[in-house]
């Protein structure tokens, strides 16, 4: 008989302690590795000088294999999706997005970029801005919700547009429920690639922005891919037509299907949708995939 020698009640107490100790051990190892590798810097979200923790395992080997990533690309993707600030947890793409917000909307007199988003939200200039976070961006969300004119939402499959689900407003990028010209700044992060109708999404973002308003966002862009292409199409009956090998990003029960794969023609696509694009932290390279895109609504 393979009975464990440990009595049940003792096991119930010891196993969580063991698991917690294991988790703390990992944490200490990650933090000390970040400190030793010299990646301690000022966080543009919380404003503290903290180790930035690189976690290679955020990109599982199974995905590396399925997506056919080179080791260099896998490491660049893991940097984008980790390099977490040990203070506030903001990952690299969130911290870079914060830096672009600070640069795009300078505060003070004379106007200058604030050192951190945590400082920026306290300024009268930021308090006047109407900001929409279409999908929750961890790290940034916790700071921006201090703004008086802040609308936050997320996409809940199956919910009605604008419906409140578990305390969060559900918004579908292809049919936003916000009024025309109601925001100075719209934020999305790793969302546009999952939208079945990209033109509709860009049209909606433009519609809810004031003229001259900004959409600051992140998306995956493939290095060496000259043209944007569709991996899948949503048929009118709701079924999905797969055009190229389908790719799912982690999340949900089965992951989120990628509809659009972006390439080097991104500026033209955005110009056709009525935006002028500025690429921050570019260009896209095999060793740096964490670009931030800043779009201004153009009205000619
Ligand atoms: Zn931080």
């Amino acid at each position: 008989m393979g009975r464990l020698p440990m009595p049940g009640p003792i096991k119930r107490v010891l196993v969580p302690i063991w698991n917690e100790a294991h988790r703390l051990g990992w944490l200490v190892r990650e933090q000390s590795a970040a400190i030793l590798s010299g990646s301690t810097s000022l966080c543009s979200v919380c404003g503290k000088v903290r180790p930035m923790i690189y976690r290679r395992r955020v990109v599982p080997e199974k995905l590396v294999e399925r997506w056919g990533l080179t080791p260099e690309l896998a490491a660049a993707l893991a940097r984008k999706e980790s390099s977490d600030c040990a203070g506030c947890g903001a990952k690299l793409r969130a911290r870079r997005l914060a830096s672009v917000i600070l640069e795009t909307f300078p505060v003070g007199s004379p106007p200058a970029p604030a050192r951190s988003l945590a400082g920026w939200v306290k300024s009268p200039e930021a308090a006047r801005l109407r900001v929409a976070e279409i999908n929750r961006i961890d790290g940034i969300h916790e700071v921006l919700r201090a703004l008086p004119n802040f609308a936050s939402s997320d996409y809940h499959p199956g919910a009605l547009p604008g419906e409140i689900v578990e305390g969060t407003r559900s918004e579908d990028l292809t049919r936003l429920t916000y009024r025309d010209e109601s925001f100075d700044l719209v934020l999305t992060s790793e969302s546009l690639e999952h939208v079945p109708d990209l033109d509709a999404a860009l049209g909606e973002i433009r519609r809810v922005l004031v003229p001259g308003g900004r959409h600051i966002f992140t998306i995956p862009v493939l290095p060496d891919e000259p043209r944007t292409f569709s991996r899948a199409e949503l048929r009118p009956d709701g079924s999905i037509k797969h055009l190229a090998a389908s790719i799912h990003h982690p999340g949900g029960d089965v992951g989120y299907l990628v509809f659009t794969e972006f390439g080097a023609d991104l500026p033209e696509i955005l110009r056709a949708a009525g935006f002028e694009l500025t690429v921050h932290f570019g260009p896209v390279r095999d060793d740096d995939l964490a670009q931030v895109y800043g779009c201004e609504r153009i009205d000619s």
Side-chain angles (χ1 to χ4, degrees), residues 28-79:
V28 168
R29 274 168 61 182
E30 282 185 333
Q31 298 230 11
S32 36
I35 295 165
L36 290 174
S37 67
S39 52
T40 292
S41 58
L42 177 78
C43 173
S44 58
V45 175
C46 67
K48 295 175 181 143
V49 176
R50 289 289 181 275
M52 301 299 164
I53 300 157
Y54 170 67
R55 293 179 295 124
R56 172 62 186 78
R57 68 183 192 280
V58 295
V59 182
E61 280 312 314
K62 217 188 280 176
L63 283 184
V64 173
E65 215 171 282
R66 200 177 301 159
W67 296 348
L69 298 176
T70 62
E72 196 177 24
L73 279 172
L77 189 57
R79 269 195 299 279

Side-chain angles (χ1 to χ4, degrees), residues 97-140:
L97 205 143
S99 300
V100 175
I101 296 174
L102 304 180
E103 201 182 306
T104 309
F105 297 96
V107 295
S109 183
R115 277 163 56 95
S116 74
L117 205 62
W120 181 84
V121 292
K122 294 180 188 142
S123 68
E125 293 92 335
R128 280 193 293 272
L129 288 178
R130 293 155 299 170
V131 181
E133 178 196 41
I134 303 294
N135 67 296
R136 186 190 167 104
I137 309 164
D138 289 334
I140 285 190

Side-chain angles (χ1 to χ4, degrees), residues 109-286:
S109 183
R115 277 163 56 95
S116 74
L117 205 62
W120 181 84
V121 292
K122 294 180 188 142
S123 68
E125 293 92 335
R128 280 193 293 272
L129 288 178
R130 293 155 299 170
V131 181
E133 178 196 41
I134 303 294
N135 67 296
R136 186 190 167 104
I137 309 164
D138 289 334
I140 285 190
H141 172 86
E142 291 79 358
V143 176
L144 288 185
R145 68 184 173 193
L147 290 174
N149 301 305
F150 178 58
S152 178
S153 61
D154 227 332
Y155 175 64
H156 295 271
L160 291 171
E163 189 183 335
I164 307 293
V165 181
E166 290 162 16
T168 307
R169 182 176 180 143
S170 183
E171 287 291 343
D172 176 341
L173 263 172
T174 62
R175 41 186 184 149
L176 295 174
T177 62
Y178 298 119
R179 287 199 305 271
D180 293 1
E181 302 186 5
S182 48
F183 295 107
D184 304 290
L185 170 62
V186 167
L187 302 171
T188 64
S189 190
E190 308 298 292
S191 291
L192 284 177
E193 71 274 22
H194 300 295
V195 169
D197 189 340
L198 179 64
D199 290 343
L202 294 176
E204 280 293 87
I205 293 168
R206 190 174 189 284
R207 178 182 70 75
V208 301
L209 279 174
V210 295
R214 307 298 177 110
H215 173 213
I216 299 177
F217 63 101
T218 72
I219 45 169
V221 175
L222 292 172
D224 311 320
E225 187 64 56
R227 296 198 71 79
T228 296
F229 64 92
S230 299
R231 283 196 179 272
E233 261 176 28
L234 190 66
R235 295 193 186 99
D237 67 359
S239 63
I240 289 164
K241 182 181 174 189
H242 293 273
L243 304 167
S246 64
I247 276 187
H248 293 77
H249 289 170
D253 291 324
V254 289
Y256 301 116
L257 180 66
V258 172
F259 279 89
T260 308
E261 205 74 77
F262 294 99
D265 58 348
L266 186 65
E268 291 101 89
I269 289 174
L270 291 163
R271 200 168 302 123
F275 293 106
E276 190 60 45
L277 171 69
T278 305
V279 182
H280 301 264
F281 303 101
V284 184
R285 299 194 316 259
D286 282 9

